Amino acid sequence: TNTQNMTKVFAVLLLLFFFVNAYCQEQNEVLLNKVLSQLKLNKKDIHEPLYRSKVLPNKTSNSVLVIPKYNVNETDEQGHDFFVFDAYIVVADNATGKIISKFVEKEAWTSDAMVLSEVTIDTGLYQLNEKDRAFGVRVSYRGSSNPNPYSYTDLSLFIIQNNLLKRVLNNYQIDRYSGEWDTRCAGEFTQINSVINFDKNRTNGFKNIILKNTIENTKSYMKNDECEKKVTASKTVKYMKFNGKEYNN
């Protein structure tokens, strides 16, 4: 019957998905080990939960690897982790594992009261000119206070030039959320989200960045035993130009 056939097809697809997934994970593991060996690092030197890798869409033979290496790795008596990471941003050949270019920054990220919660590789269309396309690394932090929620995401952009990896945008705060409330209802919150676009005008060979920011202010209050919200939104636009080394305001 059709239902049985559909079930068989679904089972085969599911099996295929698991095999492909397992193969990809294995390949990723192999690539990481080859890269670590060239960097003269061991697995125990890195914080694996935040390690990321992604194939470059404009050059699928290469992958970006973001490797957080422990500089400080401590846990206090209350069980709170304190980390300081050296950032290793690497572009490697998928087939051989050979490092093509790398960027290393000592003590780049700290995870303490503001917890480093997520690292993502952003391969959006950051086309800076005809030949240079950047990729992004987003690093997200969140505070641990319930009455004063606070979180933000920094974006850095990188390009490969003459086999050197250069950072052209340094930790720009692309998203932010903050607030103060009584943990039941009453409070005020602000959320800012930015989107990057590019201008046709250029400075020092790179297109100017147009940052479109959406700012949302929320006020919550009790009214007739109900928690009511009032939201006001506004938009701003900001330009950033390349000064020959990196983008700045």
Side-chain angles (χ1 to χ4, degrees), residues 38-66:
Q38 290 165 81
L39 295 170
K40 297 184 170 46
L41 297 176
N42 294 314
K43 272 273 186 72
K44 63 175 173 48
D45 298 328
I46 73 166
H47 187 68
E48 278 196 82
L50 290 173
Y51 158 68
R52 296 291 177 266
S53 77
K54 196 171 187 181
V55 173
L56 280 171
N58 51 321
K59 186 147 192 202
T60 52
S61 58
N62 295 346
S63 283
V64 177
L65 293 84
V66 177

Side-chain angles (χ1 to χ4, degrees), residues 56-59 122-136 155 157-161 168 196-203 205-210 240 242 247:
L56 280 171
N58 51 321
K59 186 147 192 202
D122 178 355
T123 52
L125 193 56
Y126 298 119
Q127 197 73 44
L128 308 186
N129 56 29
E130 289 75 18
K131 67 178 202 317
D132 293 305
R133 174 170 168 174
F135 66 84
L155 170 68
L157 292 178
F158 296 86
I159 57 165
I160 303 164
Q161 266 188 351
V168 292
I196 286 185
N197 290 302
F198 290 96
D199 198 358
K200 59 181 188 300
N201 298 322
R202 302 179 185 201
T203 309
F206 286 172
K207 292 175 185 172
N208 299 340
I209 286 176
I210 307 168
M240 295 175 93
F242 187 68
Y247 279 94

Side-chain angles (χ1 to χ4, degrees), residues 138 153-155 172-176 192-194 196 211:
R138 290 174 182 252
T153 298
D154 286 339
L155 170 68
Y172 181 80
Q173 200 175 92
I174 199 93
D175 295 320
R176 191 177 86 215
I192 302 170
N193 298 103
S194 307
I196 286 185
L211 274 160

Side-chain angles (χ1 to χ4, degrees), residues 66 70 77 82 91 105 142 145 172 189 221 242:
V66 177
Y70 291 118
E77 289 159 11
F82 172 60
V91 176
E105 186 181 18
R142 59 174 166 74
S145 164
Y172 181 80
F189 308 91
Y221 49 92
F242 187 68

Side-chain angles (χ1 to χ4, degrees), residues 46-231:
I46 73 166
H47 187 68
E48 278 196 82
L50 290 173
Y51 158 68
R52 296 291 177 266
S53 77
K54 196 171 187 181
V55 173
L56 280 171
N58 51 321
K59 186 147 192 202
T60 52
S61 58
N62 295 346
S63 283
V64 177
L65 293 84
V66 177
I67 304 167
K69 177 195 169 286
Y70 291 118
N71 187 302
V72 178
N73 176 9
E74 293 173 358
T75 306
D76 67 16
E77 289 159 11
Q78 283 80 40
H80 298 133
D81 292 328
F82 172 60
F83 300 128
V84 178
F85 298 116
D86 298 337
Y88 282 76
I89 319 288
V90 173
V91 176
D93 181 283
N94 293 329
T96 63
K98 184 177 185 296
I99 293 174
I100 294 159
S101 53
K102 69 175 190 282
F103 175 93
V104 179
E105 186 181 18
K106 299 284 179 191
E107 300 179 8
W109 307 315
T110 299
S111 184
D112 191 10
M114 287 302 289
V115 177
L116 201 171
S117 55
E118 182 62 277
V119 173
T120 52
I121 297 166
D122 178 355
T123 52
L125 193 56
Y126 298 119
Q127 197 73 44
L128 308 186
N129 56 29
E130 289 75 18
K131 67 178 202 317
D132 293 305
R133 174 170 168 174
F135 66 84
V137 174
R138 290 174 182 252
V139 182
S140 300
Y141 298 86
R142 59 174 166 74
S144 41
S145 164
N146 189 14
N148 298 91
Y150 186 59
S151 61
Y152 64 92
T153 298
D154 286 339
L155 170 68
S156 294
L157 292 178
F158 296 86
I159 57 165
I160 303 164
Q161 266 188 351
N162 310 322
N163 286 349
L164 290 173
L165 200 51
K166 295 182 179 178
R167 180 169 59 191
V168 292
L169 180 67
N170 181 11
N171 285 337
Y172 181 80
Q173 200 175 92
I174 199 93
D175 295 320
R176 191 177 86 215
Y177 178 77
S178 59
E180 194 176 342
W181 70 314
D182 63 3
T183 70
R184 292 184 302 280
C185 169
E188 291 186 25
F189 308 91
T190 302
Q191 180 149 0
I192 302 170
N193 298 103
S194 307
V195 175
I196 286 185
N197 290 302
F198 290 96
D199 198 358
K200 59 181 188 300
N201 298 322
R202 302 179 185 201
T203 309
N204 294 311
F206 286 172
K207 292 175 185 172
N208 299 340
I209 286 176
I210 307 168
L211 274 160
K212 296 188 172 178
N213 309 305
T214 305
I215 302 143
E216 206 170 73
N217 290 304
T218 304
K219 209 168 184 169
S220 54
Y221 49 92
M222 290 300 287
K223 189 178 177 184
N224 304 330
D225 291 337
E226 293 284 325
C227 190
E228 301 274 340
K229 279 183 183 176
K230 187 184 177 208
V231 180

